[in-house]
Amino acid sequence: MFRKLILLCVLFQALLASNAPAESLRASERLVYDLTWTGVKAGTATLEFVNDGGKMKIISTARSADWVSVFYTVEDRVESTLTNSSEHEGWAQPASYRMKIREGKHRRNKEVVFDPLKNRAVYIDYLNNERKEFQLPPAALDPISSFYYVRTLKLTVGEPLYVTVFDSKKVWNVEVQ
């Protein structure tokens, strides 16, 4: 859990590093990180934004190095597919959010399909055969698209802003400082 928090903080810092908020999301980009443990490469993480005009994708992957996989295999892929939206000016609305995680013996395989016109989301857990529908407030985002959305905003020191995020079958009103 601690490793995930550190990785998330590093990725969030990299996303906010741009000086031109919305301009940075017009073109595709790919960020690649070496994950090290005591100075030795233990894996690779990537964060990729693909904008093909009508549809956007955000793809996050993490893979353990071969020598680490002998003991503890990490193969994570999180993908958010977005479409143009009127809710977030100059941004997009999630169409789907897919998470396939393998970390040692821990597995997750879930998907959220968003219906922004009806303000609903269908949560599907493929490993536990669970399917549940949720009512959402307008302009709810998935976790990974929320980071990119914040990147499009003009942030002012000392003025918090709030982002509505649907994750773990709950709606969160996340404060960004």
Side-chain angles (χ1 to χ4, degrees), residues 82-94:
L82 307 150
T83 57
N84 291 327
S85 166
S86 60
E87 294 291 334
H88 297 288
E89 191 175 319
W91 183 231
Q93 180 69 36

Side-chain angles (χ1 to χ4, degrees), residues 35 41-44 63-74:
L35 305 175
K41 184 175 177 182
T44 304
R63 296 219 186 299
S64 52
D66 291 343
W67 72 271
V68 174
S69 294
V70 172
F71 307 100
Y72 190 86
T73 301
V74 173

Side-chain angles (χ1 to χ4, degrees):
M1 182 65 175
F2 181 72
R3 287 177 293 168
K4 288 181 190 176
L5 181 61
I6 295 296
L7 178 60
L8 194 57
C9 289
V10 168
L11 294 177
F12 188 61
Q13 183 180 13
L15 289 176
L16 294 178
S18 173
N19 287 338
E23 293 299 318
S24 61
L25 299 179
R26 294 193 193 280
S28 299
E29 68 180 13
R30 182 180 168 100
L31 307 170
V32 180
Y33 299 90
D34 285 338
L35 305 175
T36 61
W37 181 57
T38 66
V40 178
K41 184 175 177 182
T44 304
T46 64
L47 191 57
E48 185 172 13
F49 179 81
V50 179
N51 185 350
D52 70 1
K55 232 182 218 186
M56 294 172 268
K57 279 192 178 187
I58 303 167
I59 304 164
S60 170
T61 62
R63 296 219 186 299
S64 52
D66 291 343
W67 72 271
V68 174
S69 294
V70 172
F71 307 100
Y72 190 86
T73 301
V74 173
E75 291 177 353
D76 296 352
R77 181 180 173 91
V78 179
E79 183 175 309
S80 177
T81 303
L82 307 150
T83 57
N84 291 327
S85 166
S86 60
E87 294 291 334
H88 297 288
E89 191 175 319
W91 183 231
Q93 180 69 36
S96 67
Y97 174 75
R98 177 77 191 235
M99 176 184 283
K100 193 167 185 180
I101 303 290
R102 177 183 178 199
E103 296 172 355
K105 293 182 181 182
H106 177 73
R107 304 275 192 279
R108 272 198 236 160
N109 188 355
K110 66 180 184 176
E111 181 175 19
V112 177
V113 179
F114 291 86
D115 184 346
L117 297 176
K118 296 180 181 176
N119 290 324
R120 287 194 283 218
V122 176
Y123 170 88
I124 306 162
D125 185 330
Y126 294 104
L127 297 179
N128 297 315
N129 279 337
E130 180 183 0
R131 182 183 181 95
K132 190 171 180 182
E133 190 170 303
F134 292 87
Q135 193 66 38
L136 301 178
L141 298 167
D142 63 71
I144 199 166
S145 68
S146 68
F147 289 130
Y148 276 85
Y149 170 65
V150 168
R151 220 175 127 181
T152 67
L153 304 175
K154 184 174 189 227
L155 303 176
T156 304
V157 174
E159 290 183 26
L161 64 99
Y162 295 87
V163 181
T164 305
V165 178
F166 180 72
D167 187 32
S168 301
K169 300 187 267 185
K170 294 181 184 175
V171 176
W172 304 88
N173 191 27
V174 179
E175 180 179 1
V176 178
Q177 287 281 341

